[in-house]
């Protein structure tokens, strides 16, 4: 099918030739094949945030991305995601957007506005949908749109597109996937109408095609229209492959410039963007739809390195690649790749902790590995009056971030690490199945240290005598496991999480894990996991994805059962939900995986005594002894602060040394960066 996509043929870049081939759209040209996908940041709702939004997008435009797609803007009030979420409805809003588009254009990129109507996903009482069917992720039952309401909504999409054009946007993206309003019209799961907007497939796609056709007529031919098609609904009652192909062809014939790939509804029980998802796990469906159309098509989801993106284009699976969070993690992604410096890219690890989890908690998004993201105007270096000699003790995430930030400002920094490699707790985390992306974070820090002026001393335990020769000391010494306080805890069958994950002590077949925080879940996953192979077909089958697309929604009738060589119990004293501290957008995945492995999770357990047989507990007022080969304690951490009181120069605590209650790389990197920028 490559002959059907002759959008550009010149490939001059010696490193990633396909990725940096311009794309000719006829009336305009994209300088490369990298799209910054739509991503809500929370800045959109903040008061007087234009300068912050401009800075955010300009950094990515200067970083070399070909086209930026904004976070979704509602075309009317009922379409807002939340009561005060962003929209583009009124002419007076154009001036604010014009500041953003002009700044992006001056920085060398193009920008499109995404139009998103939440439909039944709206988190407010004005929600509307094709039919009055409540969503499982919103407490509000939507009102079914009337015929008049449908016509008005179509016109509202057109109005927003025209306002975007007046504001200087190069185009729009119509959000037709992920289970939002347009997607809700297309499938019978959410469209039970009996009129001309429901029933047959041709009737169900009338709504999106009317929006597209009228929008193209209104904006003219010299305006980019991206349409995001849901290629895999991943919900019961979703579209068939034949319907997706028919719809994609209709989208092309009704005026779209580019088709973007949508994967999964938000209510789907299949992970689509988390770190557990293999890289480029869904490009096979983009490649399949590409065979049926001639306009450019975009691949999405878990594309986070230039070599993966290049391979997708080289294999003719897509014409462009969309990366949202990878450009949150590193705004210079494109420039670094184009110059052949991929090792310098701060790679997105798919953790969701600071981006999606923040947005769902109505907080501003940022990035675990890049705390500058969305804080470009605020997280800035304090002017350096005098260069000091700074000692940083500990090369975990907090120490690494602090050392690099302080050195960048001009301080003379020495980094002490008693182990023979950097990374600290990241070296433990990267061993957990599904968290291998932390290897990229360690690679990034290793590269940045080599490019910096930081003096690195590995295999060196800092002493107070040495540290007192510096002007200031940043202690990033980390944590040690905390005892659970259970009688008999000194029994030989008791292990700490470090014994299991770092020291690789042997663990028996029947295991009890004490503690159900993030570390407890990681240990359970580590011990339960038996399959080393993480190829995409195996992963898809495990999560019930029908790659043959023989079933509606591309879901298999039955998921592959998981097996484990161990019998695992995980307990916590608290009576609340197991894993309550896990991330909002990824916690359900971890719980689901442990259920697949038949890990028995129980809260409200009182620990009485550890014996040679196992663990004596009280549960529901009944005492019982649970036989166990090993008991793994994951009951929290204590800071390692033995050095603090021996140091006479100013001391700054960061990461676990400052707050050990939860191992939190997001907080550690942010705090280390802030200290480095202000010390």
């Amino acid at each position: 099918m490559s002959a059907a996509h002759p959008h550009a043929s010149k490939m001059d870049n010696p490193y990633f030739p396909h990725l940096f081939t311009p794309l000719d759209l006829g009336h305009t040209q994209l300088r490369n094949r990298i799209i910054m996908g739509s991503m809500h940041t929370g800045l959109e709702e903040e008061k007087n945030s234009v300068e912050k939004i401009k800075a955010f997008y300009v950094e990515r435009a200067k970083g070399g991305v070909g086209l930026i797609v904004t976070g979704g803007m509602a075309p009317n009030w009922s379409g807002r995601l939340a009561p005060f979420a962003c929209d583009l409805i009124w002419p007076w809003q154009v001036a604010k957007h014009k500041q953003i588009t002009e700044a992006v254009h001056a920085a060398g990129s193009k920008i499109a506005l995404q139009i998103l109507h939440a439909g039944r996903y709206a988190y407010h009482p004005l929600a509307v949908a094709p039919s009055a069917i409540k969503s499982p992720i919103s407490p509000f039952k939507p009102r079914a749109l009337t015929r008049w309401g449908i016509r008005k909504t179509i016109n509202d999409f057109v109005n927003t597109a025209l306002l975007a054009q007046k504001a200087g946007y190069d185009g729009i993206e119509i959000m037709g996937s992920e289970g939002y309003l347009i997607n809700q019209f297309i499938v019978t799961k959410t469209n039970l109408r009996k009129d001309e907007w429901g029933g047959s497939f041709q009737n169900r796609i009338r709504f999106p095609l009317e929006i597209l056709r009228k929008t193209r007529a209104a904006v003219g031919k010299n305006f980019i229209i991206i349409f995001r098609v849901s290629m895999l609904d991943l919900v019961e009652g979703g579209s068939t492959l034949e319907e997706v192909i028919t719809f994609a062809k209709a989208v092309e014939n009704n005026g779209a410039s580019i088709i973007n790939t949508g994967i999964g509804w938000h209510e789907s029980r299949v992970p689509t963007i988390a770190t557990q998802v293999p890289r480029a796990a869904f490009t096979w469906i983009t490649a399949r739809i590409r065979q049926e159309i001639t306009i450019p098509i975009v691949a999405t989801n878990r594309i986070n390195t230039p070599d993966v993106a290049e391979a997708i284009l080289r294999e003719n699976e897509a014409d462009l690649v969309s990366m949202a969070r990878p450009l949150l993690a590193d705004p210079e992604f494109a420039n670094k790749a184009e110059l052949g410096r991929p090792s310098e890219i701060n790679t997105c690890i798919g953790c969701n902790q600071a981006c999606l989890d923040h947005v769902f908690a109505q907080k501003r998004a940022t990035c675990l590995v890049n705390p500058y993201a969305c804080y470009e105007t605020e997280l800035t270096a304090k002017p350096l009056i005098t260069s000091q000699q700074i000692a940083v003790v500990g090369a975990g995430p907090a120490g690494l971030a602090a050392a690099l930030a302080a050195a960048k400002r001009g301080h003379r920094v020495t980094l002490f690490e008693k182990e023979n490699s950097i990374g600290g707790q990241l070296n433990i985390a990267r061993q957990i199945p599904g968290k291998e992306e932390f290897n990229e974070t360690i690679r990034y820090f290793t590269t940045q240290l080599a490019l910096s002026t930081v003096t690195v001393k590995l295999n060196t335990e800092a002493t107070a005598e040495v540290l007192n020769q510096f002007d200031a000391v940043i202690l990033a010494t980390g944590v040690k496991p905390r005892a659970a306080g259970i009688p008999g805890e000194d029994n030989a069958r008791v292990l700490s999480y470090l014994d299991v994950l770092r020291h690789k002590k042997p663990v028996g077949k029947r295991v009890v894990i004490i503690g159900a925080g993030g570390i407890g879940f990681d240990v359970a996953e580590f011990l339960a996991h038996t399959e080393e192979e993480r190829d995409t077909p195996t992963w898809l089958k495990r999560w019930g994805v029908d790659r043959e697309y023989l079933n509606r929604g591309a879901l298999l009738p039955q998921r592959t059962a998981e097996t484990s060589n161990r019998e695992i119990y995980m307990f916590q004293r608290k009576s609340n939900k197991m894993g309550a501290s896990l991330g909002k957008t990824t916690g359900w995945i971890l719980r689901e995986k442990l259920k697949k492995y038949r890990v028995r999770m129980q809260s409200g357990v009182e620990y009485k005594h550890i014996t040679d047989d196992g663990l004596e507990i009280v549960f529901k007022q009944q005492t019982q002894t649970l036989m166990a080969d090993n008991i793994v304690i994951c009951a929290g951490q204590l800071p390692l602060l033995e050095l603090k009181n021996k140091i006479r120069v100013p001391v700054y605590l960061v990461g676990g040394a400052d707050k050990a209650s939860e191992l939190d790389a997001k907080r550690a990197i942010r705090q280390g960066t802030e200290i480095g920028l202000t010390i």
Side-chain angles (χ1 to χ4, degrees):
M1 255 327 264
S2 58
H5 293 264
H7 307 298
S9 58
K10 185 180 179 182
M11 296 188 291
D12 293 333
N13 187 275
Y15 307 108
F16 302 101
H18 296 83
L19 195 57
F20 292 99
T21 296
L23 178 66
D24 187 4
L25 293 173
H27 62 89
T28 190
Q29 188 178 83
L30 304 184
R31 60 177 167 175
N32 56 47
R33 304 302 178 98
I34 301 174
I35 291 179
M36 177 178 166
S38 177
M39 181 170 41
H40 200 75
T41 65
L43 288 171
E44 297 88 350
E45 284 81 30
E46 290 188 14
K47 291 184 178 179
N48 304 316
S49 63
V50 173
E51 291 304 315
K52 296 175 185 177
I53 296 172
K54 276 170 53 179
F56 174 71
Y57 286 133
V58 164
E59 281 294 301
R60 277 80 197 159
K62 284 162 50 180
V65 66
L67 174 66
I68 292 169
V69 181
T70 70
M73 301 280 171
N76 53 39
W77 285 356
S78 64
R80 289 176 173 178
L81 286 167
F84 300 102
C86 53
D87 55 38
L88 180 55
I89 300 174
W90 309 107
W92 57 263
Q93 294 173 299
V94 166
K96 179 179 76 171
H97 285 269
K98 207 162 194 175
Q99 294 180 54
I100 296 167
T101 60
E102 288 176 351
V104 168
H105 291 151
S109 186
K110 298 186 187 301
I111 185 167
L113 178 119
Q114 187 189 77
I115 308 177
L116 182 153
H117 192 298
R120 72 176 193 152
Y121 281 172
Y123 213 82
H124 56 73
L126 299 179
V128 296
S131 302
I133 304 171
K134 183 180 173 299
S135 147
I137 62 174
S138 171
F140 299 97
K141 184 178 180 179
R143 174 176 51 84
L145 280 164
T146 63
R147 285 187 174 92
W148 176 86
I150 290 173
R151 290 291 181 189
K152 181 182 182 303
T153 301
I154 292 169
N155 292 334
D156 289 341
F157 269 87
V158 176
N159 174 61
T160 297
L162 285 169
L163 292 175
Q165 192 174 42
K166 290 178 182 177
Y169 286 99
D170 300 282
I172 58 165
E173 178 175 75
I174 298 172
M175 183 50 153
S177 64
E178 266 73 9
Y180 292 113
L181 180 70
I182 288 174
N183 213 170
Q184 292 162 24
F185 265 91
I186 294 172
V187 303
T188 55
K189 172 185 175 69
T190 45
N191 185 347
L192 304 180
R193 302 180 72 95
K194 304 297 183 183
D195 59 10
E196 66 271 28
W197 304 101
S200 70
F201 181 66
Q202 291 302 320
N203 280 359
R204 300 198 308 274
I205 63 174
R206 185 189 304 271
F207 177 69
L209 295 181
E210 282 283 283
I211 290 172
L212 178 55
R213 183 177 59 79
K214 289 195 170 185
T215 299
R216 175 54 78 195
V219 299
K221 63 180 182 179
N222 296 330
F223 194 64
I224 300 170
I225 299 181
I226 307 168
F227 196 103
R228 187 155 177 156
V229 173
S230 182
M231 297 185 190
L232 297 174
D233 290 330
L234 302 179
V235 292
E236 297 289 342
S239 295
T240 65
L241 176 59
E242 182 183 3
E243 288 172 342
V244 173
I245 291 172
T246 300
F247 182 55
K249 289 179 177 179
V251 166
E252 176 176 11
N253 294 334
N254 280 272
S257 314
I258 298 170
I259 287 180
N260 198 356
T261 298
I263 303 293
W265 288 31
H266 287 313
E267 63 200 73
S268 170
R269 303 309 285 178
V270 177
T272 56
I273 59 174
T275 189
Q276 293 89 349
V277 181
R279 292 178 179 177
F282 300 103
T283 56
W284 53 274
I285 186 58
T286 308
R288 176 67 183 87
I289 303 304
R290 187 177 186 269
Q291 297 173 21
E292 308 291 339
I293 61 173
T294 60
I295 60 174
I297 191 167
V298 186
T300 63
N301 290 57
R302 287 289 286 133
I303 303 166
N304 65 343
T305 63
D307 59 309
V308 170
E310 176 72 11
I312 291 166
L313 300 174
R314 183 178 61 247
E315 299 300 321
N316 291 318
E317 292 183 314
D319 302 288
L320 303 109
V321 290
S322 175
M323 292 179 275
R325 295 171 304 159
L327 290 158
L328 193 69
D330 196 333
E332 287 281 327
F333 182 104
N335 284 346
K336 291 175 181 178
E338 188 171 18
L339 294 172
R341 291 160 28 203
S343 66
E344 297 178 31
I345 293 174
N346 196 1
T347 304
C348 167
I349 61 173
C351 68
N352 294 357
Q353 291 180 35
C355 49
L356 292 179
D357 284 354
H358 276 213
V359 170
F360 278 108
Q362 297 183 321
K363 297 192 295 185
R364 190 194 307 186
T366 183
C367 179
L368 181 149
V369 299
N370 176 26
Y372 296 96
C374 298
Y375 287 86
E376 287 80 6
T377 63
E378 297 155 90
L379 193 57
T380 56
K382 181 181 177 181
L384 186 65
I385 299 173
T386 305
S387 175
Q388 298 184 69
Q389 290 197 64
I390 307 293
V392 180
V393 185
L400 291 166
L404 288 168
K408 190 174 181 179
R409 284 182 62 218
H411 287 304
R412 291 157 289 159
V413 179
T414 302
L415 176 61
F416 295 90
E417 171 54 54
K418 65 181 181 180
E419 303 293 337
N420 62 4
S421 62
I422 69 165
Q425 296 288 338
L426 298 180
N427 289 308
I428 297 174
R430 66 177 174 166
Q431 299 178 63
I432 309 304
K435 290 191 174 183
E436 295 88 351
E437 292 287 19
F438 275 116
N439 286 310
E440 299 289 353
T441 307
I442 294 174
R443 182 266 310 150
Y444 169 75
F445 276 124
T446 300
T447 302
Q448 292 303 311
L449 283 176
L451 294 170
S452 75
T453 60
V454 176
T455 299
V456 181
K457 293 183 177 292
L458 299 178
N459 294 307
T460 305
E461 188 151 1
T463 64
E465 182 181 4
V466 170
L467 296 177
N468 283 324
Q469 297 173 27
F470 287 82
D471 297 312
V473 175
I474 298 174
L475 281 185
T477 41
V479 298
K480 60 183 177 182
R482 183 175 62 191
I486 305 171
E489 198 168 345
D490 57 350
N491 192 289
R493 69 185 59 239
V494 176
L495 302 171
S496 72
Y497 66 86
L498 288 183
D499 291 330
V500 175
L501 299 176
R502 176 184 288 174
H503 306 303
K504 301 295 187 297
K505 290 189 176 181
V507 180
K509 297 295 186 182
R510 189 175 168 94
V511 184
V512 173
I513 297 171
I514 302 294
I519 296 175
F521 271 79
D522 280 351
V523 169
E525 169 71 13
F526 180 81
L527 293 175
H529 191 86
T530 57
E531 185 180 354
E532 295 301 323
E533 192 67 45
R534 289 188 70 240
D535 63 283
T536 297
T538 300
W539 185 90
L540 292 169
K541 190 175 181 181
R542 183 180 298 145
W543 282 96
V545 179
D546 178 13
R547 189 166 179 173
E548 300 301 317
Y549 222 142
L550 302 176
N551 299 279
R552 281 196 169 274
L555 288 180
L556 292 170
Q558 190 171 347
R559 294 184 177 183
T560 302
E562 299 286 357
T563 58
S564 175
N565 292 331
R566 290 188 173 92
E567 185 178 352
I568 301 173
Y569 297 80
M570 184 161 64
F571 297 147
Q572 69 175 19
R573 285 191 176 103
K574 297 176 183 176
S575 58
N576 60 352
K577 183 179 180 180
M578 299 287 282
S581 64
L582 299 175
K584 184 176 179 64
T585 59
T586 55
W588 71 270
I589 302 173
L590 299 176
R591 281 187 286 268
E592 187 73 16
K593 287 177 74 176
L594 294 193
K595 286 178 184 176
K596 288 172 179 286
Y597 287 127
R598 295 181 173 85
V599 174
R600 302 176 191 182
M601 296 178 276
Q602 188 60 61
S603 58
V605 176
E606 181 184 350
Y607 315 122
K608 298 295 290 183
H609 196 266
I610 295 171
T611 70
D612 288 337
D613 294 323
L615 176 66
E616 184 181 327
I617 64 171
V618 177
F619 179 61
K620 293 184 177 179
Q621 299 181 334
Q622 292 187 343
T623 300
Q624 56 182 292
T625 297
L626 192 66
M627 307 292 286
D629 298 314
N630 290 106
I631 295 149
V632 183
I633 306 298
C634 304
Q637 302 76 230
L638 296 171
L640 287 167
L641 294 175
E642 287 81 0
L643 274 173
K644 182 185 175 187
N645 294 330
K646 301 176 184 178
I647 301 172
R648 297 188 301 273
V649 298
V651 176
Y652 303 85
L653 302 180
V654 294
D658 175 54
K659 185 177 180 182
S661 57
E662 279 289 335
L663 292 182
D664 186 349
K666 176 184 70 174
R667 184 182 62 82
I669 292 174
R670 172 82 186 205
Q671 187 181 34
T673 301
E674 289 174 339
I675 290 291
L677 292 175
T678 57
I679 192 171

